[in-house]
Amino acid sequence: MTADAIREALEAPGHPADEVLRAATQHAAALVPAVVAAIHRAAQGVYLLPAQSRLLFHGLHALAAAGRTELYAPLMELLRRPPAEVDQIFGDAVTETLAQLVLAVFDGDAEPIVEAIADESLDPMLRWCLLEVLARLSFDGAVPRERVVAVIDRLAGRGHADDDDLVWQGAREVVALLALEERAAMVRAAWDRAGEPADDPERRDWEADLRAAVARPGDDERFMRRRLMPLDDAAEALRWTAAMPDDDAVDSEDPAAAYALTLDELDWLAGFLASANASDAAMSLEMLDGFFAALAVGPESVPPGEFMPVIWGEPDGDGPRFADAAQAEFVDGLLTRHRATIAARLAAGYPHVPCIDPDDTRSLGAEWAYGFDLGIGLREAAWLEILDEPRGQRLADAILLLDDSRPQPPLAPRTAEARERWVAKIPETLAAFHALWRDQAVRRPVTVPVRSAPKIGRNDRCPCGSGRKYKHCCGGAYPPVGH
């Protein structure tokens, strides 16, 4: 395989074949510039395109197996990014292969590892991982034992010597791995403060590990058991990703099957909307899904020039800051496809399951309902043609009363179980809304209701004097309270 063909295979969706990963290791020198460039871009806060992320992730593993130390400095810089960004790139690799990666590309300078361990802004599991790396480097003679002891003392001095602290649990493991008997009393004191008895299974195992390390200080079996050794086979190291289930099976009956976003694409879009590339005022993926649903079932079409600024939170926000034209084009394509997917499903009578985080039980569906409300706001006068009628109001309530930012009347769902039931009914509610508008169009044309007073914008201050936005006050019920 040529270097270009290998790179394309590393960038492709799915798990690379073993022969691709091993060929990448063999052609490491030719691939180093592209992989290092991808790491540098991510370390600068650029939200990588999926192909770029795959090149970084798979290429890093392949080149680490070749021992390319050029990757060490940019990798350690990348690991200092905010936890959400690191997780977006590495995910479970932080606990699966990251230690092996760092050990494989280590260039002899341990200070970036020490500084990352001390960085309180980083994910505790990442810092634990780097503590294990530091222990292995010390075992191999690359880092003085005294340097490791100083790191542990510094952590204890910053209040990490707590049995429930993940960073301290990593430090505790280092004490056993390196047989640091001079710091064993500190570990036992933390357990005593936590009220853990001497016969606690975890404490007992730690004591056994410490005794074994003291008895056999030169035996690296305890490190090998924890997979704390340099990565030397990318295909074998990434076997766990190949075993991950494929959740992107396509339903042949879905009218949007040809262009609906995959789970990976939805995850990427959710991350972009939450990234520094988008303003704080931009919609979340859940809000966007509700917003597009309202546009799909609404009475009038809304052009992109009108709804795109709402997605990005303008004028409250500055809009998206794309890294380049390719990123802008990719985001626009995802948004276009997702909007078309929802519209096609509803037009064909196929249920659209909303993009709602099922783990957010306390406010399940709140952001989705808020996004739906924003969609209504773009054609509020036309929506009132249906919302003024009992059936339309009931359908609206079935969605909008999930929005926690609105005044909550007694009939709103207040328990997690109730919210779950309401969210489960969203697909049928959307279908009913879609059919209702079409029935209305046959029965009579949509007209703009005559108002006896000037129209109040949904983002204007409520005239009642509450100081709240109209849509969150008297405009929060349908039909809205007149003024």
Side-chain angles (χ1 to χ4, degrees):
M1 296 179 70
T2 65
D4 287 343
I6 294 170
R7 175 176 172 174
E8 289 178 5
L10 294 175
E11 292 175 335
H15 180 78
D18 288 359
E19 55 266 29
V20 170
L21 291 167
R22 288 174 178 145
T25 300
Q26 293 170 0
H27 294 78
L31 293 169
V32 163
V35 175
V36 168
I39 298 174
H40 274 307
R41 282 172 65 83
Q44 292 165 2
V46 175
Y47 196 80
L48 302 182
L49 297 177
Q52 296 169 334
S53 291
R54 290 189 290 266
L55 175 64
L56 187 163
F57 185 80
H58 298 135
L60 177 58
H61 282 77
L63 271 56
R68 304 300 302 204
T69 57
E70 307 99 311
L71 276 65
Y72 176 70
L75 172 60
M76 293 308 303
E77 183 183 0
L78 173 57
L79 295 180
R80 299 293 294 275
R81 295 296 302 174
E85 295 182 25
V86 175
D87 182 67
Q88 183 74 25
I89 294 171
F90 292 100
D92 291 341
V94 169
T95 55
E96 293 286 341
T97 58
L98 185 58
Q100 297 177 64
L101 288 172
V102 178
L103 288 167
V105 302
F106 181 64
D107 68 359
D109 181 10
E111 283 311 300
I113 298 175
V114 172
E115 292 170 2
I117 292 171
D119 190 340
E120 302 284 346
S121 70
L122 302 188
D123 180 75
M125 286 304 302
L126 171 60
R127 297 167 71 194
W128 181 341
C129 169
L130 294 177
L131 277 163
E132 292 180 323
V133 170
L134 196 65
R136 177 72 208 215
L137 292 173
S138 180
F139 177 83
D140 292 338
V143 175
R145 179 186 180 97
E146 296 75 19
R147 189 75 181 97
V148 180
V149 172
V151 169
I152 292 174
D153 289 347
R154 183 178 182 183
L155 292 174
R158 289 190 172 187
H160 282 288
D162 186 316
D163 184 51
D164 292 329
D165 190 302
L166 287 175
V167 178
W168 179 249
Q169 290 176 32
R172 186 174 69 199
E173 185 173 348
V174 169
V175 171
L177 284 170
L178 294 178
L180 301 179
E181 293 182 278
E182 65 271 33
R183 292 297 177 269
M186 184 187 299
V187 174
R188 296 184 183 109
W191 261 313
D192 291 339
R193 286 195 301 273
E196 295 290 349
D199 62 349
D200 175 79
E202 188 175 8
R203 184 169 181 174
R204 216 171 42 235
D205 290 345
W206 179 85
E207 294 283 4
D209 289 343
L210 177 62
R211 287 193 300 271
V214 171
R216 299 184 297 277
D219 186 356
D220 73 345
E221 188 275 335
R222 58 188 181 275
F223 290 93
M224 301 297 286
R225 191 170 62 247
R226 294 170 172 82
R227 292 180 296 172
L228 294 175
M229 66 285 196
L231 188 149
D232 61 1
D233 186 339
E236 186 61 35
L238 289 174
R239 196 75 66 202
W240 62 278
T241 65
M244 295 176 68
D246 181 8
D247 294 325
D248 281 327
V250 176
D251 181 354
S252 59
E253 296 184 3
D254 184 350
Y259 48 86
L261 302 190
T262 65
L263 290 180
D264 283 345
E265 288 174 325
L266 287 169
D267 182 62
W268 189 92
L269 181 57
F272 181 85
L273 291 168
S275 74
N277 294 76
S279 73
D280 292 340
M283 291 185 180
S284 65
L285 176 64
E286 180 175 327
M287 198 182 302
L288 175 75
D289 194 74
F291 181 69
F292 279 163
L295 298 186
V297 302
E300 299 176 358
S301 63
V302 181
E306 189 173 345
F307 67 71
M308 287 299 291
V310 182
I311 292 173
W312 299 118
E314 301 169 350
D316 297 332
D318 298 328
R321 296 176 291 279
F322 295 115
D324 49 37
Q327 189 185 67
E329 183 179 357
F330 186 72
V331 172
D332 184 65
L334 294 184
L335 294 175
T336 299
R337 286 167 54 199
H338 193 55
R339 180 178 175 231
T341 293
I342 297 174
R345 287 171 176 169
L346 293 172
Y350 184 89
H352 172 68
V353 178
C355 297
I356 292 176
D357 181 4
D359 295 327
D360 187 15
T361 54
R362 184 177 179 184
S363 57
L364 189 69
E367 288 196 15
W368 197 94
Y370 181 68
F372 194 90
D373 194 17
L374 290 176
I376 290 176
L378 291 182
R379 290 295 182 270
E380 183 179 14
W383 270 88
L384 286 175
E385 180 75 12
I386 285 293
L387 299 179
D388 279 340
E389 297 185 358
R391 187 183 175 195
Q393 185 174 344
R394 285 195 301 271
L395 291 175
D397 285 347
I399 291 176
L400 299 178
L401 291 181
L402 285 165
D403 182 0
D404 287 340
S405 67
R406 303 167 62 88
Q408 295 292 294
L411 58 88
R414 300 185 181 278
T415 66
E417 294 76 12
R419 297 188 73 90
E420 189 173 348
R421 289 194 299 272
W422 281 43
V423 165
K425 293 181 178 180
I426 286 178
E428 64 183 72
T429 303
L430 290 177
F433 252 138
H434 191 275
L436 189 59
W437 283 120
R438 278 67 202 167
D439 290 346
Q440 284 289 104
V442 171
R443 203 164 69 237
R444 66 176 188 275
V446 174
T447 58
V448 178
V450 177
R451 295 176 180 267
S452 58
K455 179 181 181 296
I456 304 167
R458 293 180 62 71
N459 286 309
D460 294 341
R461 295 296 177 188
C462 188
C464 75
S466 67
R468 295 165 58 87
K469 287 186 177 181
Y470 177 58
K471 66 184 177 184
H472 297 322
C473 190
C474 295
Y478 284 99
V481 177
H483 288 283

